[in-house]
Amino acid sequence: MSQQGYVAAPPYSQAQPGGYQGGFGAGPAQPLYGHYGGPPQAFNAPPAAGGMKSPASSPAGMPPPSGPSQYSPNVQQNGAHPQRYASPSVASPTYGQPSHSVYNSMASPAPPPTQQLTNQMSAMNLGSYGAVQSPPPHPAASAHPGRQSTHMSPQMAPPQSPLINMQASGQPMGGQSMAGPPMGGQSMAGPPMGGQSMAGPQLPSGPGTFQQHGVGPTGPANYPQQGGQFGGLMSGPQPGMPGGFPGAPGPLAGPPQKKLDPDSIPSITQVIEDDKARLGGQVFSTNIRGQVPPLVTTDFTVQDQGNASPRFIRCTTYSLPCTAELAKQCQVPLASIVKPFAKLPKNEAPLYVVNHGETGPIRCNRCKAYMCPYMQFIDGGRRYQCTFCNCVNEVPAFYFQHLDHVGRRVDFYERPELSLGSYEFVATLDYCKNNKPPSPPAYVFMIDVSYTNIKSGLVKLICDELKTLLEKLPREDGAETSAVKVGFVTYNKVLHFYNVKSALAQPQMMVVSDTAEMFVPLLDGFLVDYQESRAVIYNLLDQIPDMFADTNESETVFAPVIQAGVEAFKAAECSGKLFIFHSSMPTAEAPGKLKNRDDKKLVNTDKEKILFQPQKGVYEQLSKDCVAQGCCVDLFLFPSQYLDLATMADVPSHTGGSVYKYNNFQVETDGEHFLRDLRKDVQKSLGFDAVMRVRTSTGFRATDFFGGIFMNNTTDVEMAAVDCDKAVTVEFKHDDTLSEETGALMQCALLYTTIGGQRRLRIHNLSLNCTSQLSEMYKCCETDSLINFFAKSAYRAILNQPVKNVRDILVNQTAHMLACYRKNCATPSAASQLILPDSMKVFPVYMNSLIKTAPLVGSAELSTDDRAHQRLSVMAMGVEDTQLQLYPRLIPLHNVDVGSEAVPAPLRCSEERLTDSGTFLLENGHSIFLWLGQSSPPDLIQNLFNVPSLAHLQPGHMFALPELDNPLSKKVRSIIGELLEKRPNSMKLQVVRQRDKAETLFRQFLVEDKGLHGGTSYMDFLCFVHREIRQLLT
């Protein structure tokens, strides 16, 4: 059955003669998905013969001119040549944003020869954006008129790039008056950006209007058929370009111009709202194999009936292709995002704990899979067949039960491990270190008491907060007090340990100045029960700020601090967590001393990857020691300059820890923001000393893992700790053919120590469908999970490859996935139509947003530490966090219904949605902005801020809304409060007035617009991807 998702006939393309020709050409030269780690040379080798013909637009013997693209000039797509050409320097119309060359591509030596520019322009069908002044025909250009558009250059630039790629060098254009980019502030035909109204072509309406198959003639609510906005094929040659079609004459008058409508391209907010309307508030029962769950943005209740809840496991597709060939053909990555400790809402039952006493959990003798709903009982219940490896096992006598008339055990519903997708087993001593039961974990607070932290008031702030926070340490369900032990260390270039034994009247301090050979000077009295030693601990927390009040010591150590924590846990034979509060690069003479290696000259070169790589040696060994001991490190950083975060955060990122960063910390402005993070972090529910293994049924297996994890071998995922916000992304590959009948099974088993010191196994099971039909596979894809996988694999890849290559792979794979759908699943239609699978119609928005994120954008204006921080935090994120990070929520507040409980529906993330008189809240899980239009009504300002007008407001000094007694203030504060509560990280509220300097920070989150530091708008990216798809299909 041919099913078709989302169809568009955008104005950026023409019909290719002869429909599809011979499939995909030579196929991508770069490795397929998941093989980012390979040597980057792969990208520079020209592909095998038999790829596409060199396009007609290139002069004999020359490679096709590469457009001034931010996507690799040397992308090897189906027979492109690896040589690189300078991009032309072209004046760009500014859109209220700094004009950068797109993605800050490296400054080029000189523009290409005029001949080539002309070819380049004509090859780009630029005229399809609307009439632009045509140049006098160039003698060289008319040598082969019009063939350019038939075979577009495989290295096609995004259609917009000649309009916006502006080199800083500003070289002249060889004196030729040129088609295409209007100069200076001329009004421009093309996709509207940033709220500017522009002319764009109006195409005859026809079969190619936006439509969504299978929904009826008008499509869903937001996509009615566009009458004449995006029509079918273009009649006649392209205006403004010599010879748009083969054999066509020079420029002719084009159709009348009309503004291009951004509402007609797929919208994430609409997809989210549609899913909420369809599935919001409903019960999702997990009794059907391979059913696609509601989106992460939809509120729903899960009823576990034999498959794990989507809160624990989400997949990139719920219907796996049956063969490796099919998987290779579509290039859709097969992956699961596992969040083993995900928080469950109050109306869902916590996991059942199964205790089989001394015999322990029942497992398959061959593959060691745990008893689960998929096991088949046979022989009257005396034996069972493992569905993972087909081995037949004896049922232990104590576990025997008769079968009913359908072959199901009579106690099926009484045993969680037979009827539920997720449950826990109590582990026996065989699952414990040295066959001894574990001790409850400990928390050690390690405070940098160097000059800056004392002077800023940070040390006092931490000490005051700990007095109340330690009352709220996490505890086992049902326990009255927490079993967690606590300890305290302060340090600058030496370490101070504190004895806070309950019998002491005063805490005792012990100093270790030999940081090269770290040891813990006391055993008894360092890790204590908080309730017993409360008086001594209070005393200590009062004394610390005064003790170091006169310090002048500005140098610090870092690695020995972590080492001390590991040694303390070793001595106490327990696992635990270190909370380290640190402010500067560790420059004191000690192991792990760092030096400044921040070099902005490396940005956009092949050596840029060095900026993201941690320094090897001491920190690598520390990670191993921490994981072996179950010591998780959480790092709170308060830098005022570069501190080599890539290296300092290496241990936290391998031990399941978190890194929090507060640049230029000031107690008044950032204090509350930091304390909210600290409170969440200390109170999180989590498991320690964890090992996870993912087992699968025959035919496929887990091959790669991404997350805050440590891998000693290829199968065991080790985490010193894993909390409710951390996720591991697991990639699968075929090793045989899968069967449509039996489907595909996976079991994720996590062995860990609870906060109360009990060893347990947490099991999550999931069954997926298998299909030999690509259309079925695409139908069951989940965009949010796909983009989580792509973000993590790209962020890992930049450790080994130039950032630019990674961007190219992302764009390439997007085009491949969509072209494969177009070729194999969609009903044949004009090549000028962009056809997207319904389940992936907003995938390009997310992908474009990912390519514009700080780690991938390659701009020397961005701080290296910030880029490294974002890279590491995304590596451990679950699906809902990456979704929000890549598509922030923009909530209009000016017309909020103060009487209703509901939050206003979010708008698309684009400057076009902002209004001068509006008030908008934008949040992405890390930042939250309140944007005020310049004509905001005075009464709204009065109600929210208690000042008469916008001019009286001082946004720079405002980080929380004043508590005012009026409905609007209460409503807006409750919306903000709810968001802060819901997100894993605290967010610092920033109030921004329209046209203030601070607004640029806010604008970089409007991800549908052109990137601030390089990167195209969503509209332009869609045009470019469409072009790449057509390239692949010809």
Side-chain angles (χ1 to χ4, degrees):
M1 181 194 114
S2 148
Q3 60 137 84
Q4 197 159 335
Y6 181 82
V7 184
Y12 35 74
S13 40
Q14 302 167 324
Q16 300 273 6
Y20 311 134
Q21 300 152 356
F24 274 69
Q30 63 275 19
L32 290 165
Y33 63 83
H35 295 288
Y36 283 111
Q41 297 86 287
F43 297 87
N44 299 334
M52 233 181 221
K53 293 199 295 286
S54 180
S57 60
S58 38
M62 296 276 286
S66 71
S69 154
Q70 77 277 36
Y71 307 108
S72 135
N74 63 348
V75 125
Q76 292 311 309
Q77 212 165 39
N78 303 338
H81 302 267
Q83 290 96 320
R84 298 179 52 169
Y85 274 81
S87 13
S89 103
V90 177
S92 78
T94 52
Y95 300 119
Q97 291 167 339
S99 64
H100 292 284
S101 65
V102 186
Y103 279 133
N104 305 326
S105 40
M106 289 169 280
S108 48
T114 331
Q115 145 76 52
Q116 237 177 300
L117 267 175
T118 317
N119 286 343
Q120 213 167 297
M121 302 305 293
S122 34
M124 293 197 65
N125 281 350
L126 249 189
S128 63
Y129 271 106
V132 269
Q133 304 94 322
S134 54
H138 193 275
S142 41
H144 29 252
R147 287 174 46 213
Q148 296 88 325
S149 54
T150 340
H151 295 284
M152 286 183 203
S153 148
Q155 293 170 293
M156 204 63 225
Q160 83 294 354
S161 47
L163 302 175
I164 51 178
N165 194 18
M166 174 170 172
Q167 296 294 15
S169 55
Q171 293 136 326
M173 306 251 25
Q176 179 199 354
S177 94
M178 195 183 120
M183 302 294 167
Q186 202 173 319
S187 85
M188 168 183 144
M193 300 195 194
Q196 194 169 328
S197 102
M198 292 182 201
Q202 180 194 351
L203 301 171
S205 63
T209 46
F210 262 112
Q211 46 183 291
Q212 193 148 347
H213 290 245
V215 192
T218 53
N222 209 30
Y223 303 117
Q225 287 217 6
Q226 304 287 329
Q229 212 40 308
F230 284 97
L233 305 181
M234 216 158 173
S235 49
Q238 306 245 340
M241 288 292 144
F245 279 77
L252 297 173
Q257 303 303 307
K258 193 174 175 192
K259 182 174 184 259
L260 220 118
D261 180 15
D263 277 332
S264 51
I265 54 178
S267 146
I268 288 183
T269 47
Q270 188 59 44
V271 167
I272 289 173
E273 289 305 313
D274 291 349
D275 196 70
K276 281 183 178 161
R278 204 163 50 89
L279 301 167
Q282 297 188 13
V283 173
F284 176 74
S285 294
T286 68
N287 53 349
I288 301 168
R289 182 176 86 190
Q291 61 174 335
V292 183
L295 296 179
V296 282
T297 41
T298 300
D299 280 325
F300 59 100
T301 303
V302 179
Q303 192 171 21
D304 186 342
Q305 295 190 345
N307 283 299
S309 156
R311 302 190 204 289
F312 296 121
I313 304 183
R314 278 186 177 265
C315 299
T316 53
T317 176
Y318 288 82
S319 201
L320 302 181
C322 282
T323 63
E325 283 64 48
L326 269 182
K328 191 172 174 181
Q329 188 184 344
C330 66
Q331 287 204 26
V332 172
L334 312 176
S336 291
I337 295 90
V338 183
K339 203 174 185 183
F341 279 92
K343 275 196 203 93
L344 295 177
K346 291 189 172 60
N347 60 351
E348 290 178 24
L351 298 197
Y352 286 95
V353 181
V354 180
N355 190 348
H356 286 321
E358 304 222 330
T359 51
I362 293 168
R363 308 176 67 174
C364 167
N365 291 329
R366 185 194 290 163
C367 70
K368 299 288 184 248
Y370 293 86
M371 180 53 69
C372 69
Y374 314 138
M375 303 296 189
Q376 297 288 324
F377 286 87
I378 52 175
D379 210 6
R382 283 186 290 280
R383 299 194 297 163
Y384 68 92
Q385 183 172 23
C386 168
T387 35
F388 291 92
C389 69
N390 301 323
C391 171
V392 174
N393 299 270
E394 296 293 325
V395 172
F398 84 93
Y399 200 68
F400 173 77
Q401 185 56 272
H402 295 286
L403 307 185
D404 64 11
H405 63 288
V406 290
R408 210 156 59 170
R409 283 175 55 126
V410 182
D411 61 355
F412 176 80
Y413 287 112
E414 289 149 39
R415 291 198 176 270
E417 73 274 24
L418 298 181
S419 54
L420 298 177
S422 300
Y423 42 86
E424 293 199 318
F425 288 118
V426 173
T428 55
L429 289 179
D430 302 344
Y431 294 90
C432 302
K433 267 189 192 154
N434 311 326
N435 290 7
K436 280 166 51 184
S439 313
Y443 283 3
V444 181
F445 297 89
M446 313 181 101
I447 306 170
D448 162 3
V449 288
S450 60
Y451 178 80
T452 41
N453 285 359
I454 294 289
K455 284 290 168 279
S456 70
L458 175 66
V459 174
K460 183 165 176 17
L461 186 73
I462 295 169
C463 291
D464 289 348
E465 178 62 29
L466 286 179
K467 292 177 193 168
T468 50
L469 192 50
L470 293 174
E471 299 282 354
K472 299 176 189 156
L473 290 171
R475 54 178 190 254
E476 280 284 14
D477 289 337
E480 291 202 359
T481 58
S482 172
V484 177
K485 299 258 195 295
V486 294
F488 303 88
V489 173
T490 55
Y491 66 94
N492 34 48
K493 62 183 194 187
V494 298
L495 278 78
H496 323 105
F497 294 81
Y498 296 94
N499 183 345
V500 282
K501 207 163 147 185
S502 55
L504 296 173
Q506 283 287 335
Q508 293 171 347
M509 173 184 185
M510 297 189 176
V511 179
V512 176
S513 51
D514 181 6
T515 48
E517 295 292 324
M518 204 57 230
F519 68 98
V520 177
L522 72 161
L523 284 181
D524 190 27
F526 178 59
L527 296 176
V528 298
D529 180 310
Y530 169 71
Q531 297 299 339
E532 288 174 13
S533 298
R534 184 188 294 172
V536 192
I537 291 173
Y538 257 56
N539 213 327
L540 170 67
L541 294 171
D542 280 338
Q543 289 177 27
I544 288 175
D546 300 337
M547 228 181 321
F548 298 99
D550 301 327
T551 185
N552 289 320
E553 187 54 73
S554 58
E555 284 196 317
T556 55
V557 295
F558 183 63
V561 179
I562 299 176
Q563 191 67 52
V566 177
E567 296 300 331
F569 292 156
K570 263 188 199 156
E573 294 187 349
C574 68
S575 50
K577 198 179 214 186
L578 309 179
F579 295 82
I580 303 180
F581 305 92
H582 190 93
S583 67
S584 60
M585 192 188 284
T587 51
E589 280 309 325
K593 172 185 176 178
L594 297 176
K595 54 181 191 293
N596 191 336
R597 60 189 185 113
D598 186 16
D599 185 358
K600 288 284 167 47
K601 288 200 279 300
L602 298 181
V603 174
N604 274 322
T605 70
D606 288 357
K607 290 189 175 162
E608 184 169 3
K609 57 190 177 201
I610 296 170
L611 298 175
F612 297 112
Q613 294 167 350
Q615 297 190 32
K616 294 275 189 282
V618 177
Y619 291 99
E620 207 172 9
Q621 186 55 45
L622 261 181
S623 294
K624 283 185 188 155
D625 296 348
C626 284
V627 172
Q629 190 52 48
C631 164
C632 166
V633 179
D634 276 355
L635 185 54
F636 293 81
L637 291 171
F638 306 88
S640 52
Q641 57 201 43
Y642 173 80
L643 45 61
D644 194 359
L645 187 135
T647 302
M648 293 188 70
D650 192 44
V651 178
S653 67
H654 281 99
T655 58
S658 307
V659 180
Y660 302 91
K661 183 162 177 278
Y662 312 91
N663 295 340
N664 303 315
F665 179 85
Q666 292 177 317
V667 171
E668 306 73 49
T669 55
D670 308 281
E672 198 44 48
H673 168 42
F674 153 62
L675 292 179
R676 275 197 305 263
D677 272 333
L678 178 60
R679 287 169 200 144
K680 279 188 182 209
D681 200 50
V682 170
Q683 294 172 52
K684 266 180 192 173
S685 57
L686 71 175
F688 288 92
D689 205 3
V691 183
M692 182 172 96
R693 186 173 272 198
V694 179
R695 293 180 175 83
T696 53
S697 52
T698 51
F700 77 122
R701 62 197 165 87
T703 54
D704 210 351
F705 302 88
F706 304 86
I709 56 175
F710 187 80
M711 304 279 296
N712 249 333
N713 53 35
T714 53
T715 52
D716 293 337
V717 178
E718 298 184 57
M719 293 170 278
V722 53
D723 65 43
C724 53
D725 299 316
K726 299 288 185 292
V728 178
T729 299
V730 185
E731 187 182 6
F732 300 101
K733 288 276 198 300
H734 287 77
D735 46 19
D736 206 346
T737 303
L738 296 169
S739 132
E740 295 195 41
E741 205 176 311
T742 54
L745 311 174
M746 69 173 84
Q747 182 179 78
C748 161
L750 182 88
L751 174 65
Y752 74 101
T753 302
T754 67
I755 201 86
Q758 188 183 33
R759 203 74 177 142
R760 282 199 200 157
L761 285 147
R762 181 171 276 229
I763 313 291
H764 297 300
N765 304 290
L766 189 62
S767 59
L768 302 173
N769 287 331
C770 298
T771 179
S772 50
Q773 302 295 317
L774 281 174
S775 56
E776 186 57 30
M777 195 270 320
Y778 278 103
K779 200 167 93 186
C780 298
C781 278
E782 194 188 67
T783 292
D784 297 334
S785 299
L786 277 169
I787 203 69
N788 176 285
F789 172 85
F790 278 116
K792 291 186 181 186
S793 48
Y795 281 3
R796 181 197 284 174
I798 57 178
L799 290 176
N800 310 312
Q801 293 186 43
V803 171
K804 189 175 165 318
N805 286 8
V806 175
R807 289 200 302 260
D808 298 337
I809 297 174
L810 290 173
V811 176
N812 238 3
Q813 203 169 336
T814 303
H816 258 276
M817 283 159 49
L818 299 175
C820 176
Y821 174 80
R822 167 88 196 234
K823 182 178 177 223
N824 298 292
C825 311
T827 39
S829 57
S832 59
Q833 289 187 330
L834 172 61
I835 299 177
L836 304 169
D838 194 43
S839 63
M840 288 169 67
K841 64 186 178 195
V842 290
F843 183 72
V845 197
Y846 285 116
M847 183 53 86
N848 187 39
S849 178
L850 171 61
I851 290 170
K852 292 191 285 192
T853 54
L856 290 178
V857 86
S859 160
E861 292 176 21
L862 294 164
S863 116
T864 304
D865 277 344
D866 285 350
R867 295 176 74 197
H869 184 227
Q870 189 176 336
R871 188 189 85 76
L872 289 169
S873 55
V874 167
M875 288 309 281
M877 277 185 186
V879 178
E880 51 279 48
D881 301 333
T882 46
Q883 188 277 329
L884 189 64
Q885 172 104 355
L886 294 172
Y887 201 87
R889 289 177 61 186
L890 181 65
I891 304 169
L893 295 178
H894 41 275
N895 46 14
V896 61
D897 177 1
V898 291
S900 131
E901 287 290 294
V903 175
L907 302 176
R908 296 177 73 152
C909 272
S910 167
E911 187 185 357
E912 300 205 324
R913 308 289 152 175
L914 305 175
T915 55
D916 285 0
S917 58
T919 305
F920 297 85
L921 193 68
L922 181 140
E923 61 110 9
N924 74 342
H926 289 270
S927 312
I928 184 164
F929 293 91
L930 184 58
W931 183 91
L932 304 165
Q934 55 186 6
S935 344
S936 297
D939 55 335
L940 181 138
I941 300 296
Q942 181 71 51
N943 284 337
L944 282 182
F945 301 100
N946 205 19
V947 294
S949 74
L950 202 55
H952 292 76
L953 199 63
Q954 293 184 308
H957 304 285
M958 205 157 217
F959 302 97
L961 291 181
E963 293 191 18
L964 304 175
D965 190 12
N966 66 66
L968 180 67
S969 174
K970 285 178 183 164
K971 177 69 183 172
V972 172
R973 280 184 291 117
S974 91
I975 291 174
I976 293 173
E978 215 172 284
L979 292 176
L980 293 178
E981 188 53 42
K982 208 154 104 184
R983 306 292 174 228
N985 289 16
S986 153
M987 299 180 281
K988 174 176 161 186
L989 179 69
Q990 299 176 62
V991 179
V992 173
R993 279 187 302 209
Q994 187 179 7
R995 302 214 163 82
D996 271 8
K997 198 175 165 194
E999 199 192 14
T1000 48
L1001 196 58
F1002 164 83
R1003 278 176 190 274
Q1004 70 190 21
F1005 295 107
L1006 299 175
V1007 295
E1008 289 197 17
D1009 298 340
K1010 217 171 107 189
L1012 221 74
H1013 300 286
T1016 56
S1017 68
Y1018 166 35
M1019 176 88 78
D1020 291 333
F1021 183 72
L1022 209 54
C1023 298
F1024 179 61
V1025 167
H1026 182 42
R1027 221 163 248 223
E1028 292 287 301
I1029 291 169
R1030 291 176 57 186
Q1031 196 67 56
L1032 289 168
L1033 293 176
T1034 43

